[in-house]
Amino acid sequence: WDYNWDFRQPSSLVKPNSPDEDLEKRKSATRRTLYLIRHGQYELDKQHDKEKILTELGRQQAECTGKHLAKLGVKYSDLVISTMTRANETGEIILKQLNETGMEVLNENFEIEKTDLLREGHPIDSVPSSSRFKPDSWEFTDGARIEAAFRKYFHRAHYSQKEDSYEIVVCHANVIRYLVCRASQNPPEGWLRMSLANGSITEVVLEPNGKVSISGIGDKGHMPINKITFT
C-alpha cells in the first residue's frame, strides 16, 4: 500500500531534513467521507445532453437517495455535482430532500460546486474487454480529465481541518467505477467489472494516515426493488 498516494504525507509537505515538529504540524488528524452517487434514470433516446433529463422514475430514485442521505446522522460540508443534465437534476433533488428533512444535516459552511471534471466519459480501456462496450479510441481522451477529478477530490483531509467531513459527489457510473479503482489502488483497467444502479451510493473513507476504505459499492438497499434500474 502506498501511503503517500495523495502526496500529502507530512514528509512530502516540508523541506528535506525538516525538524520533527514541522512534520507533526502537517499531520492530518481528521477523516473525509465521500458519498459517490450515480444519477437517476434518464431519457436514453435523446441526442443532446440538455435533452437527457431524468425520467419520472429517475426523479423518484434521486428522492429516495436524498431521503436516505438525510437519515445518516451526519452533517454534510460539500455537494459536488457533474455539470451534465442528469447529474445536475439528481443533485438538485438530493439537496431539496436534505433541506426538507427538518434536521440539521448541512454544515454551516456548506458549499455547492458544479464541475466539468466529473462529466461522464471513458476513463481507460477495460480489462478484460467487453463485447458490449466498444468505444472509439478518441473517446478515451476523457481519461486525463477523469484522472484530474480523482486528484482534485480524493485526498486525505488538510492538516488544518479540525473535524471529520462528509461530502456528497453526484456523477456517473464510469467515473465512479474508475475513482473506486484508483482509491483502492487496484488496476484502473478493472473499472468495468463493477455495476452501479441508478441512485446508488458508494462510500469512500479517506483516513488521515493515508489508508482508504470503501463500503457499499453501488449500494441500492435504500431503493424499493421496483425502482432499481441500471440504465
Side-chain angles (χ1 to χ4, degrees):
W1 182 262
D2 177 11
Y3 284 88
N4 197 30
W5 60 273
D6 59 350
F7 304 102
R8 283 171 170 78
Q9 282 281 81
S11 58
S12 296
L13 303 176
V14 298
K15 295 179 180 179
N17 302 317
S18 293
D20 290 344
E21 59 185 32
D22 286 353
L23 292 172
E24 285 296 321
K25 290 177 181 178
R26 286 163 178 79
K27 279 187 178 180
S28 176
T30 55
R31 174 186 295 149
R32 294 180 65 221
T33 299
L34 307 180
Y35 297 96
L36 310 180
I37 314 298
R38 189 188 177 201
H39 58 78
Q41 184 191 68
Y42 67 103
E43 298 287 354
L44 283 168
D45 59 346
K46 303 299 182 182
Q47 182 175 2
H48 302 292
D49 177 60
K50 290 184 178 180
E51 300 173 315
K52 295 181 179 182
I53 61 175
L54 296 182
T55 63
E56 178 56 33
L57 176 56
R59 298 183 67 82
Q60 293 172 12
Q61 292 167 338
E63 289 177 1
C64 289
T65 302
K67 289 177 180 177
H68 178 74
L69 291 170
K71 295 176 182 177
L72 293 183
V74 301
K75 286 189 176 182
Y76 300 102
S77 60
D78 297 272
L79 172 59
V80 183
I81 308 172
S82 158
T83 53
M84 296 189 82
T85 300
R86 54 191 182 270
N88 189 54
E89 286 187 314
T90 301
E92 289 178 353
I93 292 171
I94 288 174
L95 181 59
K96 183 174 183 289
Q97 295 302 317
L98 296 177
N99 283 324
E100 291 181 352
T101 183
M103 300 179 287
E104 293 186 7
V105 297
L106 302 181
N107 189 290
E108 61 181 8
N109 297 317
F110 179 78
E111 295 184 353
I112 300 173
E113 177 186 354
K114 298 185 180 183
T115 175
D116 290 336
L117 291 178
L118 291 169
R119 292 173 71 89
E120 184 63 303
H122 302 112
I124 192 173
D125 201 5
S126 63
V127 177
S129 58
S130 171
S131 59
R132 297 169 55 188
F133 184 77
K134 295 291 184 181
D136 294 325
S137 59
W138 65 265
E139 293 182 87
F140 290 103
T141 56
D142 296 326
R145 170 179 56 78
I146 298 172
E147 172 65 18
F150 173 77
R151 297 193 181 202
K152 179 175 182 179
Y153 298 109
F154 280 69
H155 56 80
R156 75 195 74 186
H158 192 270
Y159 53 82
S160 63
Q161 184 171 314
K162 303 300 182 184
E163 298 179 347
D164 293 345
S165 61
Y166 303 87
E167 305 160 43
I168 300 170
V169 179
V170 182
C171 54
H172 310 271
N174 293 357
V175 176
I176 293 172
R177 292 183 285 190
Y178 177 83
L179 296 176
V180 166
C181 287
R182 289 286 282 111
S184 59
Q185 297 189 21
N186 283 309
E189 293 86 355
W191 64 273
L192 201 53
R193 302 171 197 174
M194 292 173 272
S195 182
L196 304 179
N198 297 107
S200 62
I201 302 173
T202 298
E203 181 180 342
V204 181
V205 180
L206 307 173
E207 300 286 354
N209 63 359
K211 290 183 178 180
V212 177
S213 61
I214 302 173
S215 63
I217 297 176
D219 184 8
K220 55 186 183 299
H222 58 283
M223 200 80 66
I225 192 167
N226 63 335
K227 297 187 187 300
I228 296 174
T229 61
F230 290 85
T231 55

